[in-house]
Amino acid sequence: MTEIIKTLLFRLKKTTYFWILLALALLLPVLGALLIDLSLKMGEALNEPIEQLMNQMLAQYGGLSGLMSGFTSISSNPMILSIIFASVFLSAEFKSGTVRNAIIAGKSRSQLYLSYYLVALIGGFAIFVVSFWAAFVSMGLVFRFDATGNMVTELLYCFLLGLLAIVFVQTLVCAFLFNTRSRVLTIVIPLIICILGPGIIATIVEIVSV
């Protein structure tokens, strides 16, 4: 199984769209931080003290760590990018006949599937880590690393929560892929679940709690 994983990681390094997704994971948080910085400067141009604006925004989100928690939701950008990566990369293995040839050559289907799942996790973790730390640095520069409470503990909690979210979305992708072997279904259904799921659950909880 180790050899299978090494082979898959070698292919992953040669895959252009994986590096494009990593670049997007880096750029999207930076662009978001730049937009926030622009809105703060526009407020300052209207004679509102920038320190007051920053404090208001941080209070609204619960500090810098509160802003970072937005990157740990299953509907966040790194999760969506991870779903696209795993769906496209792994479905190509089935489409090209690599899985069938490996089984004919004597490889265990369970070993193959576990190897694909682990590579999906590795790629997903890479995308999340890049996105999370790009967001932390860019947001921290905008807000001058001002946060309430124990920032390190809260950020570590957000980071671990994000890793768990990656495990969830990649498990979802692999479950659909291994059962349907359809690239379209493997991309579309997990995306729908992750994008609409949190809103549906929140609505149900709100209705039940009334």
mmCIF file of all heavy atoms in Angstrom, residues 43-79:
data_model
loop_
_atom_site.group_PDB
_atom_site.id
_atom_site.type_symbol
_atom_site.label_atom_id
_atom_site.label_comp_id
_atom_site.label_asym_id
_atom_site.label_seq_id
_atom_site.Cartn_x
_atom_site.Cartn_y
_atom_site.Cartn_z
ATOM 1 N N GLY A 43 -14.129 53.712 5.453
ATOM 2 C CA GLY A 43 -14.744 54.239 6.666
ATOM 3 C C GLY A 43 -13.904 55.331 7.290
ATOM 4 O O GLY A 43 -14.434 56.329 7.792
ATOM 5 N N GLU A 44 -12.573 55.146 7.231
ATOM 6 C CA GLU A 44 -11.667 56.166 7.772
ATOM 7 C C GLU A 44 -11.770 57.452 6.963
ATOM 8 O O GLU A 44 -11.683 58.556 7.520
ATOM 9 C CB GLU A 44 -10.233 55.647 7.747
ATOM 10 C CG GLU A 44 -9.232 56.565 8.426
ATOM 11 C CD GLU A 44 -7.827 56.022 8.364
ATOM 12 O OE1 GLU A 44 -7.521 55.259 7.419
ATOM 13 O OE2 GLU A 44 -7.026 56.356 9.261
ATOM 14 N N ALA A 45 -11.997 57.308 5.641
ATOM 15 C CA ALA A 45 -12.145 58.498 4.787
ATOM 16 C C ALA A 45 -13.396 59.281 5.138
ATOM 17 O O ALA A 45 -13.498 60.479 4.847
ATOM 18 C CB ALA A 45 -12.178 58.077 3.318
ATOM 19 N N LEU A 46 -14.354 58.620 5.768
ATOM 20 C CA LEU A 46 -15.591 59.285 6.198
ATOM 21 C C LEU A 46 -15.479 59.796 7.635
ATOM 22 O O LEU A 46 -16.486 60.007 8.312
ATOM 23 C CB LEU A 46 -16.771 58.311 6.080
ATOM 24 C CG LEU A 46 -17.096 57.823 4.660
ATOM 25 C CD1 LEU A 46 -18.179 56.753 4.689
ATOM 26 C CD2 LEU A 46 -17.528 58.993 3.776
ATOM 27 N N ASN A 47 -14.228 59.974 8.056
ATOM 28 C CA ASN A 47 -13.922 60.528 9.374
ATOM 29 C C ASN A 47 -14.319 59.620 10.536
ATOM 30 O O ASN A 47 -14.609 60.098 11.642
ATOM 31 C CB ASN A 47 -14.585 61.909 9.549
ATOM 32 C CG ASN A 47 -14.033 62.925 8.567
ATOM 33 O OD1 ASN A 47 -12.840 62.924 8.267
ATOM 34 N ND2 ASN A 47 -14.904 63.797 8.061
ATOM 35 N N GLU A 48 -14.344 58.317 10.279
ATOM 36 C CA GLU A 48 -14.558 57.371 11.362
ATOM 37 C C GLU A 48 -13.206 56.800 11.768
ATOM 38 O O GLU A 48 -12.454 56.325 10.910
ATOM 39 C CB GLU A 48 -15.495 56.243 10.912
ATOM 40 C CG GLU A 48 -16.907 56.720 10.599
ATOM 41 C CD GLU A 48 -17.832 55.547 10.304
ATOM 42 O OE1 GLU A 48 -17.737 54.536 11.024
ATOM 43 O OE2 GLU A 48 -18.618 55.648 9.354
ATOM 44 N N PRO A 49 -12.847 56.842 13.033
ATOM 45 C CA PRO A 49 -11.541 56.335 13.475
ATOM 46 C C PRO A 49 -11.356 54.861 13.087
ATOM 47 O O PRO A 49 -12.230 54.027 13.368
ATOM 48 C CB PRO A 49 -11.583 56.507 14.997
ATOM 49 C CG PRO A 49 -12.640 57.540 15.233
ATOM 50 C CD PRO A 49 -13.645 57.348 14.146
ATOM 51 N N ILE A 50 -10.229 54.561 12.448
ATOM 52 C CA ILE A 50 -10.006 53.195 11.966
ATOM 53 C C ILE A 50 -9.908 52.194 13.116
ATOM 54 O O ILE A 50 -10.332 51.035 12.990
ATOM 55 C CB ILE A 50 -8.755 53.136 11.060
ATOM 56 C CG1 ILE A 50 -8.722 51.789 10.318
ATOM 57 C CG2 ILE A 50 -7.480 53.353 11.875
ATOM 58 C CD1 ILE A 50 -7.727 51.747 9.196
ATOM 59 N N GLU A 51 -9.360 52.632 14.248
ATOM 60 C CA GLU A 51 -9.267 51.744 15.409
ATOM 61 C C GLU A 51 -10.657 51.345 15.894
ATOM 62 O O GLU A 51 -10.904 50.196 16.250
ATOM 63 C CB GLU A 51 -8.495 52.436 16.540
ATOM 64 C CG GLU A 51 -7.022 52.662 16.261
ATOM 65 C CD GLU A 51 -6.240 51.358 16.263
ATOM 66 O OE1 GLU A 51 -6.761 50.361 16.828
ATOM 67 O OE2 GLU A 51 -5.127 51.325 15.721
ATOM 68 N N GLN A 52 -11.562 52.317 15.880
ATOM 69 C CA GLN A 52 -12.931 52.034 16.308
ATOM 70 C C GLN A 52 -13.611 51.075 15.339
ATOM 71 O O GLN A 52 -14.328 50.154 15.755
ATOM 72 C CB GLN A 52 -13.728 53.343 16.383
ATOM 73 C CG GLN A 52 -15.163 53.161 16.857
ATOM 74 C CD GLN A 52 -15.922 54.489 16.936
ATOM 75 O OE1 GLN A 52 -15.309 55.549 16.972
ATOM 76 N NE2 GLN A 52 -17.236 54.416 16.959
ATOM 77 N N LEU A 53 -13.387 51.275 14.040
ATOM 78 C CA LEU A 53 -13.966 50.386 13.026
ATOM 79 C C LEU A 53 -13.447 48.965 13.185
ATOM 80 O O LEU A 53 -14.212 47.998 13.096
ATOM 81 C CB LEU A 53 -13.647 50.913 11.621
ATOM 82 C CG LEU A 53 -14.329 52.219 11.211
ATOM 83 C CD1 LEU A 53 -13.766 52.701 9.875
ATOM 84 C CD2 LEU A 53 -15.841 52.024 11.106
ATOM 85 N N MET A 54 -12.146 48.837 13.422
ATOM 86 C CA MET A 54 -11.562 47.507 13.604
ATOM 87 C C MET A 54 -12.116 46.831 14.839
ATOM 88 O O MET A 54 -12.449 45.637 14.819
ATOM 89 C CB MET A 54 -10.037 47.612 13.678
ATOM 90 C CG MET A 54 -9.360 47.845 12.346
ATOM 91 S SD MET A 54 -7.571 47.550 12.394
ATOM 92 C CE MET A 54 -7.051 48.838 13.530
ATOM 93 N N ASN A 55 -12.224 47.568 15.921
ATOM 94 C CA ASN A 55 -12.749 46.999 17.157
ATOM 95 C C ASN A 55 -14.194 46.557 16.998
ATOM 96 O O ASN A 55 -14.600 45.511 17.516
ATOM 97 C CB ASN A 55 -12.637 48.007 18.302
ATOM 98 C CG ASN A 55 -11.194 48.235 18.721
ATOM 99 O OD1 ASN A 55 -10.346 47.369 18.551
ATOM 100 N ND2 ASN A 55 -10.906 49.419 19.271
ATOM 101 N N GLN A 56 -14.984 47.349 16.275
ATOM 102 C CA GLN A 56 -16.376 46.988 16.022
ATOM 103 C C GLN A 56 -16.479 45.704 15.206
ATOM 104 O O GLN A 56 -17.287 44.818 15.501
ATOM 105 C CB GLN A 56 -17.096 48.133 15.305
ATOM 106 C CG GLN A 56 -17.357 49.355 16.171
ATOM 107 C CD GLN A 56 -17.971 50.502 15.401
ATOM 108 O OE1 GLN A 56 -18.069 50.468 14.169
ATOM 109 N NE2 GLN A 56 -18.368 51.551 16.117
ATOM 110 N N MET A 57 -15.641 45.611 14.160
ATOM 111 C CA MET A 57 -15.678 44.422 13.299
ATOM 112 C C MET A 57 -15.197 43.184 14.045
ATOM 113 O O MET A 57 -15.781 42.103 13.933
ATOM 114 C CB MET A 57 -14.835 44.650 12.051
ATOM 115 C CG MET A 57 -14.982 43.551 11.007
ATOM 116 S SD MET A 57 -14.200 43.978 9.428
ATOM 117 C CE MET A 57 -15.285 45.291 8.854
ATOM 118 N N LEU A 58 -14.131 43.357 14.841
ATOM 119 C CA LEU A 58 -13.626 42.230 15.632
ATOM 120 C C LEU A 58 -14.644 41.781 16.670
ATOM 121 O O LEU A 58 -14.814 40.585 16.903
ATOM 122 C CB LEU A 58 -12.310 42.620 16.316
ATOM 123 C CG LEU A 58 -11.063 42.645 15.428
ATOM 124 C CD1 LEU A 58 -9.884 43.231 16.189
ATOM 125 C CD2 LEU A 58 -10.731 41.255 14.926
ATOM 126 N N ALA A 59 -15.324 42.743 17.281
ATOM 127 C CA ALA A 59 -16.354 42.405 18.265
ATOM 128 C C ALA A 59 -17.506 41.662 17.609
ATOM 129 O O ALA A 59 -18.090 40.738 18.187
ATOM 130 C CB ALA A 59 -16.852 43.676 18.952
ATOM 131 N N GLN A 60 -17.842 42.067 16.389
ATOM 132 C CA GLN A 60 -18.932 41.427 15.657
ATOM 133 C C GLN A 60 -18.627 39.961 15.371
ATOM 134 O O GLN A 60 -19.509 39.108 15.453
ATOM 135 C CB GLN A 60 -19.189 42.175 14.355
ATOM 136 C CG GLN A 60 -20.327 41.591 13.522
ATOM 137 C CD GLN A 60 -20.526 42.354 12.226
ATOM 138 O OE1 GLN A 60 -19.883 43.372 11.978
ATOM 139 N NE2 GLN A 60 -21.412 41.859 11.392
ATOM 140 N N TYR A 61 -17.376 39.681 15.016
ATOM 141 C CA TYR A 61 -16.989 38.309 14.659
ATOM 142 C C TYR A 61 -16.399 37.526 15.828
ATOM 143 O O TYR A 61 -16.112 36.347 15.695
ATOM 144 C CB TYR A 61 -15.971 38.332 13.517
ATOM 145 C CG TYR A 61 -16.583 38.688 12.184
ATOM 146 C CD1 TYR A 61 -16.497 39.986 11.686
ATOM 147 C CD2 TYR A 61 -17.252 37.732 11.420
ATOM 148 C CE1 TYR A 61 -17.061 40.322 10.460
ATOM 149 C CE2 TYR A 61 -17.807 38.056 10.195
ATOM 150 C CZ TYR A 61 -17.705 39.360 9.726
ATOM 151 O OH TYR A 61 -18.265 39.681 8.511
ATOM 152 N N GLY A 62 -16.204 38.179 16.954
ATOM 153 C CA GLY A 62 -15.625 37.493 18.093
ATOM 154 C C GLY A 62 -14.118 37.427 18.053
ATOM 155 O O GLY A 62 -13.521 36.421 18.443
ATOM 156 N N GLY A 63 -13.473 38.464 17.542
ATOM 157 C CA GLY A 63 -12.015 38.514 17.483
ATOM 158 C C GLY A 63 -11.470 37.903 16.203
ATOM 159 O O GLY A 63 -12.205 37.408 15.347
ATOM 160 N N LEU A 64 -10.147 37.923 16.098
ATOM 161 C CA LEU A 64 -9.495 37.384 14.908
ATOM 162 C C LEU A 64 -9.772 35.902 14.748
ATOM 163 O O LEU A 64 -9.995 35.401 13.643
ATOM 164 C CB LEU A 64 -7.980 37.636 14.995
ATOM 165 C CG LEU A 64 -7.143 37.159 13.811
ATOM 166 C CD1 LEU A 64 -7.592 37.822 12.522
ATOM 167 C CD2 LEU A 64 -5.662 37.437 14.061
ATOM 168 N N SER A 65 -9.792 35.179 15.859
ATOM 169 C CA SER A 65 -10.083 33.751 15.797
ATOM 170 C C SER A 65 -11.521 33.505 15.325
ATOM 171 O O SER A 65 -11.810 32.496 14.685
ATOM 172 C CB SER A 65 -9.862 33.099 17.157
ATOM 173 O OG SER A 65 -10.679 33.707 18.138
ATOM 174 N N GLY A 66 -12.424 34.451 15.659
ATOM 175 C CA GLY A 66 -13.791 34.340 15.161
ATOM 176 C C GLY A 66 -13.849 34.484 13.647
ATOM 177 O O GLY A 66 -14.590 33.776 12.962
ATOM 178 N N LEU A 67 -13.059 35.410 13.119
ATOM 179 C CA LEU A 67 -12.952 35.549 11.671
ATOM 180 C C LEU A 67 -12.394 34.266 11.045
ATOM 181 O O LEU A 67 -12.855 33.815 9.997
ATOM 182 C CB LEU A 67 -12.043 36.728 11.314
ATOM 183 C CG LEU A 67 -12.619 38.137 11.479
ATOM 184 C CD1 LEU A 67 -11.501 39.171 11.330
ATOM 185 C CD2 LEU A 67 -13.711 38.400 10.448
ATOM 186 N N MET A 68 -11.405 33.671 11.693
ATOM 187 C CA MET A 68 -10.769 32.468 11.169
ATOM 188 C C MET A 68 -11.703 31.268 11.168
ATOM 189 O O MET A 68 -11.547 30.352 10.366
ATOM 190 C CB MET A 68 -9.517 32.146 11.991
ATOM 191 C CG MET A 68 -8.421 33.189 11.893
ATOM 192 S SD MET A 68 -7.812 33.407 10.218
ATOM 193 C CE MET A 68 -7.261 31.762 9.853
ATOM 194 N N SER A 69 -12.660 31.252 12.081
ATOM 195 C CA SER A 69 -13.572 30.109 12.157
ATOM 196 C C SER A 69 -14.406 29.954 10.885
ATOM 197 O O SER A 69 -14.920 28.876 10.600
ATOM 198 C CB SER A 69 -14.491 30.241 13.380
ATOM 199 O OG SER A 69 -15.366 31.360 13.229
ATOM 200 N N GLY A 70 -14.511 31.050 10.126
ATOM 201 C CA GLY A 70 -15.237 30.963 8.857
ATOM 202 C C GLY A 70 -14.563 30.067 7.843
ATOM 203 O O GLY A 70 -15.193 29.625 6.879
ATOM 204 N N PHE A 71 -13.281 29.756 8.063
ATOM 205 C CA PHE A 71 -12.546 28.891 7.143
ATOM 206 C C PHE A 71 -12.630 27.421 7.533
ATOM 207 O O PHE A 71 -12.035 26.568 6.870
ATOM 208 C CB PHE A 71 -11.074 29.324 7.073
ATOM 209 C CG PHE A 71 -10.882 30.659 6.423
ATOM 210 C CD1 PHE A 71 -10.990 31.830 7.158
ATOM 211 C CD2 PHE A 71 -10.626 30.760 5.065
ATOM 212 C CE1 PHE A 71 -10.828 33.079 6.556
ATOM 213 C CE2 PHE A 71 -10.461 31.998 4.464
ATOM 214 C CZ PHE A 71 -10.565 33.157 5.207
ATOM 215 N N THR A 72 -13.342 27.128 8.600
ATOM 216 C CA THR A 72 -13.456 25.744 9.057
ATOM 217 C C THR A 72 -14.824 25.141 8.745
ATOM 218 O O THR A 72 -15.032 23.959 8.984
ATOM 219 C CB THR A 72 -13.213 25.655 10.573
ATOM 220 O OG1 THR A 72 -14.239 26.387 11.263
ATOM 221 C CG2 THR A 72 -11.865 26.260 10.941
ATOM 222 N N SER A 73 -15.744 25.932 8.239
ATOM 223 C CA SER A 73 -17.063 25.422 7.885
ATOM 224 C C SER A 73 -16.963 24.512 6.662
ATOM 225 O O SER A 73 -16.096 24.702 5.804
ATOM 226 C CB SER A 73 -18.005 26.593 7.579
ATOM 227 O OG SER A 73 -19.178 26.141 6.936
ATOM 228 N N ILE A 74 -17.837 23.514 6.565
ATOM 229 C CA ILE A 74 -17.809 22.612 5.411
ATOM 230 C C ILE A 74 -18.244 23.317 4.129
ATOM 231 O O ILE A 74 -18.064 22.774 3.039
ATOM 232 C CB ILE A 74 -18.686 21.359 5.644
ATOM 233 C CG1 ILE A 74 -20.160 21.741 5.869
ATOM 234 C CG2 ILE A 74 -18.155 20.525 6.789
ATOM 235 C CD1 ILE A 74 -21.086 20.556 5.911
ATOM 236 N N SER A 75 -18.801 24.536 4.263
ATOM 237 C CA SER A 75 -19.185 25.301 3.075
ATOM 238 C C SER A 75 -18.150 26.370 2.722
ATOM 239 O O SER A 75 -18.376 27.183 1.824
ATOM 240 C CB SER A 75 -20.551 25.962 3.295
ATOM 241 O OG SER A 75 -20.509 26.838 4.407
ATOM 242 N N SER A 76 -17.006 26.371 3.415
ATOM 243 C CA SER A 76 -15.980 27.393 3.181
ATOM 244 C C SER A 76 -15.173 27.078 1.923
ATOM 245 O O SER A 76 -15.220 25.959 1.383
ATOM 246 C CB SER A 76 -15.050 27.502 4.386
ATOM 247 O OG SER A 76 -14.357 26.286 4.589
ATOM 248 N N ASN A 77 -14.418 28.061 1.472
ATOM 249 C CA ASN A 77 -13.633 27.911 0.236
ATOM 250 C C ASN A 77 -12.662 26.730 0.259
ATOM 251 O O ASN A 77 -12.597 25.971 -0.718
ATOM 252 C CB ASN A 77 -12.883 29.207 -0.075
ATOM 253 C CG ASN A 77 -13.797 30.317 -0.540
ATOM 254 O OD1 ASN A 77 -14.844 30.068 -1.120
ATOM 255 N ND2 ASN A 77 -13.414 31.554 -0.286
ATOM 256 N N PRO A 78 -11.861 26.543 1.325
ATOM 257 C CA PRO A 78 -10.929 25.410 1.299
ATOM 258 C C PRO A 78 -11.617 24.061 1.202
ATOM 259 O O PRO A 78 -11.091 23.135 0.576
ATOM 260 C CB PRO A 78 -10.146 25.546 2.615
ATOM 261 C CG PRO A 78 -10.914 26.506 3.448
ATOM 262 C CD PRO A 78 -11.652 27.391 2.512
ATOM 263 N N MET A 79 -12.808 23.944 1.795
ATOM 264 C CA MET A 79 -13.540 22.672 1.704
ATOM 265 C C MET A 79 -14.036 22.429 0.280
ATOM 266 O O MET A 79 -13.956 21.315 -0.247
ATOM 267 C CB MET A 79 -14.727 22.668 2.682
ATOM 268 C CG MET A 79 -14.348 22.970 4.119
ATOM 269 S SD MET A 79 -13.044 21.881 4.765
ATOM 270 C CE MET A 79 -12.375 22.899 6.069
#
